[in-house]
């Protein structure tokens, strides 16, 4: 009987005009390869966020979609919509 | 000397008994029609006498003449696939009966295969499986899948389920539960900070997201600009702004009679406000709270997907 924990980023989505990157991390506990349990953890990377701690795959996606234009647009949106 | 012929006119009834016929005395050269089957008593010819007697020539007969199987066949087995064919493009291929009554059918319609009972069935129509009234007639919104006392255990869908209608607004295409990490943020920047607890769970049903969170900052760090709680697992659809419900709060310095409020309208966060009496809602900043902050809340919103 061997218990293993497998963590994967099983879903990476680019959402909305500001190219939010939604990442779903799946954690599975397996016994001899058969799933005993699993759970999801999610987080979002906004344009302009520091994504240096993300996985290489997420970094590549953020680098591709979070262009300077998108970063500027998102920052302007946040500034315009922040409470007074 | 072997007798080649017997003049049967010399034989009287019952003059030749079975005991007089030795093994092999009657060979295969029995002329057609020489045995009047009317003279064969019931069960006179037993099954073991017919072993190998019916060979493949029956196949040639079957192509021209319907073969009615009078005797029950117990657990037939085939060494190769069995084929049952009908001459028409559509219709029943095989009927099942019980005590003389029809109980089921297998057939074809336009190349699709259907099978079912007398009341309901299923038709395999291309990549779709359509419900039927039992034969080749498909029915809409009539048959049930399972019953109150006879449920299927699980259903696995890669797409979605249309509930109450067939439009896109009726499609439930996602359900998910999981966790997320709530964090205090400043709209102008966030740094430092230490937490005693960051507990967040989510339930997503279609586009609707429901969050529950408890976030305890023992040191809020630097929170520049408007104060917000972020880290949401799904982005907020700007066209569906939502307010949250605060269940517990520590460390906020609100105006007299004011309550803490959450408002989410974009990104992965909700802004913190205070409101009360006749005052308009006003956003909070780091100056409106202590160094240690606790917030327990829930919020429901629509996401972009």
């Amino acid at each position: 009987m061997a218990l293993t924990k497998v963590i994967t980023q099983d879903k990476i989505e680019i959402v909305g005009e500001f190219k939010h990157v939604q990442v779903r991390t799946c954690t599975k506990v397996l016994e001899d390869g058969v799933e005993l349990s699993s759970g999801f953890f999610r987080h979002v990377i906004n344009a302009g966020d520091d994504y240096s701690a993300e996985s290489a795959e997420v970094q590549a996606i953020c680098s591709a979609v979070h262009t300077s234009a998108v970063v500027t647009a998102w920052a302007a949106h946040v500034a315009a919509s922040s409470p007074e | 000397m072997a007798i080649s012929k017997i003049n049967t006119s010399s034989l009287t009834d019952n003059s030749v008994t079975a005991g007089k016929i030795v093994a092999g005395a009657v060979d295969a050269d029995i002329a057609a029609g020489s045995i009047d089957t009317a003279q064969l008593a019931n069960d006179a010819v037993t099954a073991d006498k017919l072993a190998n007697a019916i060979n493949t020539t029956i196949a040639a007969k079957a192509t021209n003449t319907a073969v009615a199987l009078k005797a029950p066949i117990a657990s037939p087995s085939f060494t190769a696939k069995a084929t049952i064919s009908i001459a028409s493009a559509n219709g029943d291929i095989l009927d099942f009966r019980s005590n003389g009554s029809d109980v089921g059918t297998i057939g074809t319609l336009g190349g699709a295969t259907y099978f079912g009972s007398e009341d309901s069935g299923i038709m395999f129509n291309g990549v779709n499986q359509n419900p039927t009234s039992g034969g080749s007639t498909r029915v809409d919104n009539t048959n049930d899948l399972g019953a109150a006392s006879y449920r299927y255990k699980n259903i696995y869908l890669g797409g979605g389920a249309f509930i109450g209608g067939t439009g896109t607004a009726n499609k439930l295409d996602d359900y998910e539960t999981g966790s997320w990490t709530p964090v205090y943020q400043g709209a102008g920047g966030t740094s430092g900070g230490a937490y005693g607890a960051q507990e967040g769970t989510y339930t997503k049903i279609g586009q609707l997201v429901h969050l529950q969170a408890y976030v305890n900052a023992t040191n809020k760090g630097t929170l520049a600009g408007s104060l917000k709680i972020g880290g949401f697992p799904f982005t907020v659809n700007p066209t569906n702004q939502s307010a949250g419900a605060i269940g517990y709060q520590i460390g906020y310095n609100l105006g007299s009679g004011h309550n803490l409020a959450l408002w989410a309208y974009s990104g992965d966060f909700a802004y913190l406000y205070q409101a009360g009496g006749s005052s308009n809602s006003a956003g909070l900043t780091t100056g409106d709270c202590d160094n240690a902050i606790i917030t327990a809340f829930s919020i429901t919103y629509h996401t972009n997907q």
Side-chain angles (χ1 to χ4, degrees):
Chain A
M1 181 182 72
L3 292 175
T4 54
K5 183 166 76 172
V6 179
I7 299 174
T8 56
Q9 290 182 330
D10 67 336
K11 186 178 284 188
I12 303 172
E13 304 154 305
I14 302 166
V15 180
E17 65 174 305
F18 300 114
K19 311 299 183 188
H20 304 287
V21 177
Q22 288 185 170
V23 181
R24 187 174 76 177
T25 302
C26 179
T27 301
K28 291 183 179 179
V29 176
L30 309 174
E31 181 181 276
D32 296 331
V34 178
E35 181 180 318
L36 293 179
S37 67
S38 67
F40 294 128
F41 174 83
R42 279 187 174 267
H43 72 290
V44 176
I45 301 125
N46 299 306
D49 286 355
D50 177 10
Y51 52 80
S52 60
E54 300 292 336
S55 67
E57 188 175 15
V58 172
Q59 285 189 39
I61 292 170
C62 290
S63 177
V65 302
H66 289 171
T67 62
S68 58
V70 173
V71 171
T72 300
W74 172 241
H77 171 81
V78 171
S81 59
S82 295
E84 296 179 353
Chain B
M1 183 180 72
I3 300 172
S4 61
K5 293 183 179 178
I6 297 174
N7 184 351
T8 56
S9 63
S10 300
L11 297 175
T12 61
D13 290 345
N14 300 322
S15 63
V16 180
T17 62
K20 297 296 184 180
I21 303 173
V22 300
V26 179
D27 62 19
D29 295 333
I30 300 174
S34 62
I35 298 176
D36 183 354
T37 56
Q39 299 302 315
L40 295 175
N42 289 339
D43 303 324
V45 181
T46 58
D48 59 339
K49 296 297 184 185
L50 291 174
N52 301 318
I54 300 174
N55 59 22
T56 54
T57 57
I58 196 172
K61 299 292 185 183
T63 58
N64 300 317
T65 307
V67 177
L69 298 175
K70 297 297 186 183
I73 301 174
S75 302
S77 62
F78 303 92
T79 56
K81 70 174 182 180
T83 300
I84 301 175
S85 178
I86 59 172
S88 59
N90 302 317
D92 295 349
I93 296 175
L94 195 59
D95 285 331
F96 299 96
R97 292 189 157 212
S98 175
N99 291 327
S101 299
D102 289 334
V103 294
T105 303
I106 295 176
T108 183
L109 178 69
T113 301
Y114 60 82
F115 70 87
S117 68
E118 293 303 291
D119 302 311
S120 66
I122 191 167
M123 177 183 289
F124 296 92
N125 183 24
V127 297
N128 299 317
Q129 287 82 54
N130 305 141
T132 72
S133 59
S136 62
T137 302
R138 284 173 284 182
V139 295
D140 178 49
N141 201 19
T142 301
N143 297 354
D144 291 338
L145 190 62
S149 299
Y150 302 98
R151 300 166 293 170
Y152 286 88
K153 185 176 181 181
N154 294 309
I155 184 168
Y156 295 84
L157 296 176
F162 289 87
I163 301 171
T166 58
T168 55
N170 301 108
K171 186 177 182 181
L172 176 59
D173 61 356
D174 193 25
Y175 177 84
E176 185 181 315
T177 61
S179 61
W180 60 288
T181 302
V183 59
Y184 294 108
Q185 297 174 331
T190 305
S191 62
Y195 290 86
Q198 292 172 282
E199 301 165 1
T201 60
Y202 69 82
T203 300
K204 182 174 184 285
I205 305 171
Q207 294 180 325
L208 193 68
V209 178
H210 180 71
L211 307 182
Q212 294 172 291
Y214 174 83
V215 52
N216 174 4
T218 55
N219 178 357
K220 64 183 179 184
T222 299
L223 303 171
S226 299
L227 192 61
K228 57 185 182 176
I229 295 179
F232 286 9
F234 299 92
T235 56
V236 179
N237 188 332
T239 61
N240 291 278
Q241 304 180 22
S242 297
I246 306 293
Y248 183 76
Q249 65 192 65
I250 293 289
Y252 291 96
N253 303 308
L254 308 179
S256 177
H258 286 198
N259 294 317
L260 187 63
L262 275 173
W263 189 15
Y265 44 82
S266 69
D268 63 334
F269 51 80
Y271 285 108
L272 285 160
Y273 289 81
Q274 62 174 323
S278 59
S279 301
N280 293 332
S281 295
L284 299 183
T285 65
T286 189
D288 296 315
C289 57
D290 298 336
N291 194 44
I293 325 169
I294 296 175
T295 313
F297 69 95
S298 65
I299 187 169
T300 302
Y301 62 93
H302 279 90
T303 188
N304 293 290
Q305 296 172 300

